[in-house]
Amino acid sequence: MKKGLPLLIAVGVLLAALVATRLVGNRYLYFAGYVIFQYVVLATAWNILGGYTGYVNFGTAGFFALGAYTATVLILAFKAPLPVQIVAGGLVSAVLGLGIGYLTLRLRGVFFSIATLALALVLQTFVMNWEYVGGAKGVSIIRPAAFPPFASYVEFLFFVMAALAVVSAMAAWWIENSWVGRGLAAIRDNEEAAECMGVPTLRLKLLATVVSGCFMGVAGAPFPYYVTLVEPVSAFSLDYAVNSLAMPMIGGTTTWIGPIVGAILLSTAQQVATVTISSELNLLIVGIVLVAFVLLAPQGIVGLVQRLAGRRRA
Amino acid sequence: MLSLDLLLNAIVAGILLGGFYAAVSLGISVAFGLLDIVNIAHPVFVVLGSYIAYALNSALGLDPLLTGLLGVPVFFALGVVVYRLYYASFEKTGEESLRGLVFFFGLLFIIEVALLLVYGVDYRMVEAAYIGDSLHIGSVGIALRLLVPCLVGIGMTVALYLVLSRTFWGRAIMAVSQDSQALRLMGANPVRIKTIAFGLSIATASLAGALLIVIGPVEPSIGREYIGRVFAIAVLGGMGSIGGTLAAGLILGVVETFTATYYGPSWALAVSFGILLVVLAVRPAGLFGR
């Protein structure tokens, strides 16, 4: 029964998203919903490495934009269909994760964090100098025509992102409940002890980095069709790095549900705040909430809820 | 293609830039190299120093270097507060690896966005007598706005080296970095020494910030360009070696200037990242590491 439940929830979410495209008329809601699901994927991906293993990735924007630009190149060169773009975006970002991880994870974890901090800026420099994808001024992409049962292509993208969110959450759930997750948790608690007990720490860390980077690239791949103007500043925006890290920290890092709770809360709040107050102020609020949670509620919302529930039971 | 004039100018400009890079990185060498505190917010403290120099320069006409010096005790106090918070919340409980990093990242973000809200995205600059002039020795031009930061940077390096090797507190800081457990057994309090050391590391950001705005105009997110640089320098110099920091700063300055001269300025940013990865892969102890 416990095994069937996540699958049931997954199918439920997808059906709800599909039904929503038939019922909801307001087009803004699809754009907003797309962003929320995109952040569910990014936060879940970040948490697979950051939450389970304790290695902080500051370069989400780099992995995300690499997925987006892989898709852009595929559109420009071959007019490749969306599924191909998503798979390719995920693969390229996974390879990046493997490379960075291999060079830095053998040493102390903090070098990985530092390398990822510089990574986004360096990738952005490459893209800015690459004329094929429009350099600094970007390139416009034409969305394909809509096809049934979707009334518009944005509705289709909304549904695709919902599906990707479900897939990433299921991947996180599987990792958490398998030997991989136990190995990662052992690394988080005490890496030396884990190594001594025969846990293949380097291989597990690399695996987590690859899976995490892959999902970040996957989240970025539908980006060109979503924005229709791909340019470096928005693709490499620091918002991705901050949000993908703040969402799990606020929701709770030790379970798969934490990043989802954080992503839905924080990105919904941001969607409302960007419309009602300025977007800079909105980022300042994210920063302050992040620091407040790290200082005062290190277990996140899920941890707080669990503690409250435990107290009631006791 | 390789003209001698261009080569000489690139070497001189690189060395001048390198002295300044050392000034920005000294704080990281102390915090990260000696104390093992991964203060990724250090560059943003430097930018904060730049804006204080800008505010005092535009309002009162004070020299940026003077405001940088005046800011040293203020930044020292700021560092003490930040370390106390960091120690009480993370270091004491052994949570520094994940949450401590995220804490500094949040700090970085808050300061950057706050500067953005107050001053906007426009570039700001200061006015001083030596900005704009340059010396000429043969065919080599030396801009004073680069020479002054370089000399101050070298001066800061020497001063910090003397403080760490000659004074009582400096030696105490070195002792903490070597073995804080042994220090505890000797009856000294490592936390108090680390507080002072971290205050010192943030204090360098006040002067480095003044130098940053002397070199060129500053905007709130410019600190991001320095994150890769300061860590590349700290690692290349050999974690915590003050002389190594200066040497690594000079190396990075020269290599960046060569890249900018022969490949284009936008590639200069990638240099520090490349150096960081190569050093980590080949010799993680750096040039002067133990």
Side-chain angles (χ1 to χ4, degrees):
Chain A
M1 134 114 214
K2 196 155 193 282
K3 265 196 179 147
L5 193 64
L7 207 66
L8 221 62
I9 296 172
V11 173
V13 169
L14 280 185
L15 275 179
L18 196 62
V19 169
T21 59
R22 309 299 306 154
L23 296 179
V24 178
N26 186 345
R27 301 222 14 220
Y28 170 73
L29 288 177
Y30 295 114
F31 283 95
Y34 175 92
V35 172
I36 293 172
F37 279 124
Q38 170 189 299
Y39 273 124
V40 170
V41 180
L42 284 176
T44 303
W46 185 91
N47 200 47
I48 289 175
L49 183 69
Y52 296 165
T53 324
Y55 283 87
V56 185
N57 181 353
F58 291 114
T60 307
F63 289 93
F64 175 86
L66 195 63
Y69 270 97
T70 305
T72 306
V73 170
L74 286 175
I75 293 169
L76 291 176
F78 313 110
K79 295 203 167 27
L82 189 63
V84 176
Q85 295 170 30
I86 292 173
V87 171
L91 281 179
V92 172
S93 290
V95 170
L96 177 72
L98 185 68
I100 297 276
Y102 185 74
L103 283 176
T104 55
L105 283 176
R106 285 173 302 164
L107 303 155
R108 295 172 48 209
V110 55
F111 287 125
F112 173 77
S113 303
I114 294 164
T116 56
L117 260 177
L119 172 77
L121 206 60
V122 173
L123 284 177
Q124 191 175 350
T125 310
F126 273 93
V127 167
M128 291 254 196
N129 285 291
W130 194 10
E131 269 315 304
Y132 185 70
V133 292
K137 65 180 190 302
V139 59
S140 349
I141 303 285
I142 298 162
R143 271 189 208 126
F147 54 86
F150 302 101
S152 72
Y153 201 77
V154 175
E155 284 183 24
F156 170 64
L157 283 180
F158 164 77
F159 180 72
V160 167
M161 203 36 103
L164 292 176
V166 167
V167 171
S168 64
M170 283 173 71
W173 182 86
W174 180 81
I175 288 175
E176 202 178 306
N177 289 291
S178 69
W179 61 274
V180 178
R182 287 193 293 278
L184 294 177
I187 293 173
R188 183 183 58 208
D189 290 340
N190 189 335
E191 188 161 344
E192 274 173 35
E195 179 77 49
C196 293
M197 297 297 283
V199 177
T201 53
L202 180 63
R203 241 183 292 165
L204 278 179
K205 283 189 289 185
L206 280 177
L207 179 69
T209 317
V210 167
V211 172
S212 168
C214 176
F215 275 114
M216 287 175 185
V218 161
F223 183 75
Y225 280 151
Y226 174 72
V227 289
T228 66
L229 176 70
V230 189
E231 49 90 27
V233 175
S234 65
F236 285 94
S237 166
L238 192 67
D239 299 10
Y240 296 117
V242 178
N243 277 325
S244 66
L245 175 157
M247 286 161 178
M249 297 306 284
I250 289 169
T253 53
T254 47
T255 55
W256 62 275
I257 192 83
I260 298 177
V261 169
I264 291 172
L265 279 180
L266 209 55
S267 56
T268 311
Q270 280 176 2
Q271 288 294 326
V272 176
T274 316
V275 178
T276 49
I277 49 177
S278 81
S279 64
E280 276 94 26
L281 203 60
N282 151 24
L283 283 177
L284 185 67
I285 294 168
V286 175
I288 291 172
V289 170
L290 172 64
V291 170
F293 261 89
V294 169
L295 286 173
L296 304 173
Q299 303 305 319
I301 291 172
V302 170
L304 285 179
V305 171
Q306 278 171 348
R307 213 188 312 160
L308 281 179
R311 205 174 289 163
R312 201 166 299 156
R313 221 172 287 144
Chain B
M1 270 320 278
L2 239 146
S3 91
L4 192 66
D5 280 0
L6 200 59
L7 187 76
L8 273 177
N9 269 302
I11 292 177
V12 171
I15 291 173
L16 293 179
L17 199 60
F20 159 70
Y21 283 171
V24 180
S25 311
L26 283 174
I28 283 291
S29 284
V30 172
F32 182 42
L34 294 177
L35 309 176
D36 212 20
I37 300 169
V38 193
N39 177 14
I40 53 176
H42 189 75
V44 117
F45 283 109
V46 172
V47 177
L48 188 65
S50 295
Y51 272 92
I52 291 171
Y54 163 75
L56 291 176
N57 182 265
S58 60
L60 306 171
L62 290 180
D63 184 88
L65 295 178
L66 181 68
T67 59
L69 266 179
L70 289 178
V72 164
V74 181
F75 272 60
F76 183 87
L78 185 64
V80 167
V81 172
V82 170
Y83 180 73
R84 283 288 166 182
L85 199 59
Y86 173 79
Y87 173 74
S89 309
F90 312 109
E91 211 171 53
K92 201 160 74 179
T93 50
E95 290 276 3
E96 66 259 38
S97 63
L98 176 64
R99 296 186 201 293
L101 260 179
V102 173
F103 167 71
F104 280 119
F105 188 68
L107 218 55
L108 175 164
F109 199 64
I110 291 172
I111 296 175
E112 189 180 308
V113 177
L115 285 175
L116 196 69
L117 283 170
V118 177
Y119 290 102
V121 292
D122 300 339
Y123 279 89
R124 306 284 171 167
M125 54 175 121
V126 290
E127 305 201 353
Y130 42 84
I131 296 175
D133 275 346
S134 56
L135 301 171
H136 287 279
I137 302 168
S139 62
V140 177
I142 300 177
L144 284 184
R145 63 171 182 85
L146 279 173
L147 181 64
V148 170
C150 175
L151 293 178
V152 175
I154 292 173
M156 283 167 69
T157 312
V158 172
L160 191 63
Y161 179 78
L162 290 177
V163 166
L164 287 179
S165 59
R166 300 287 157 81
T167 66
F168 172 77
W169 282 108
R171 287 179 187 169
I173 291 168
M174 297 304 283
V176 166
S177 88
Q178 279 163 17
D179 195 336
S180 78
Q181 202 59 39
L183 197 72
R184 201 185 284 275
L185 294 175
M186 309 295 272
N189 181 0
V191 176
R192 209 166 136 224
I193 298 166
K194 284 180 102 170
T195 309
I196 287 168
F198 194 77
L200 196 64
S201 104
I202 297 296
T204 65
S206 173
L207 259 174
L211 302 181
L212 176 67
I213 202 164
V214 166
I215 279 199
V218 167
E219 49 96 23
S221 66
I222 199 170
R224 282 185 225 161
E225 295 178 9
Y226 284 87
I227 292 178
R229 284 186 185 132
V230 295
F231 281 101
I233 290 171
V235 173
L236 177 64
M239 301 290 285
S241 158
I242 301 302
T245 305
L246 181 59
L250 293 175
I251 291 172
L252 182 66
V254 171
V255 177
E256 267 194 13
T257 314
F258 266 78
T259 313
T261 309
Y262 293 103
Y263 294 94
S266 58
W267 292 106
L269 271 181
V271 170
S272 53
F273 186 68
I275 289 183
L276 180 67
L277 285 187
V278 169
V279 174
L280 288 182
V282 178
R283 187 176 154 76
L287 292 176
F288 300 91
R290 279 166 298 200

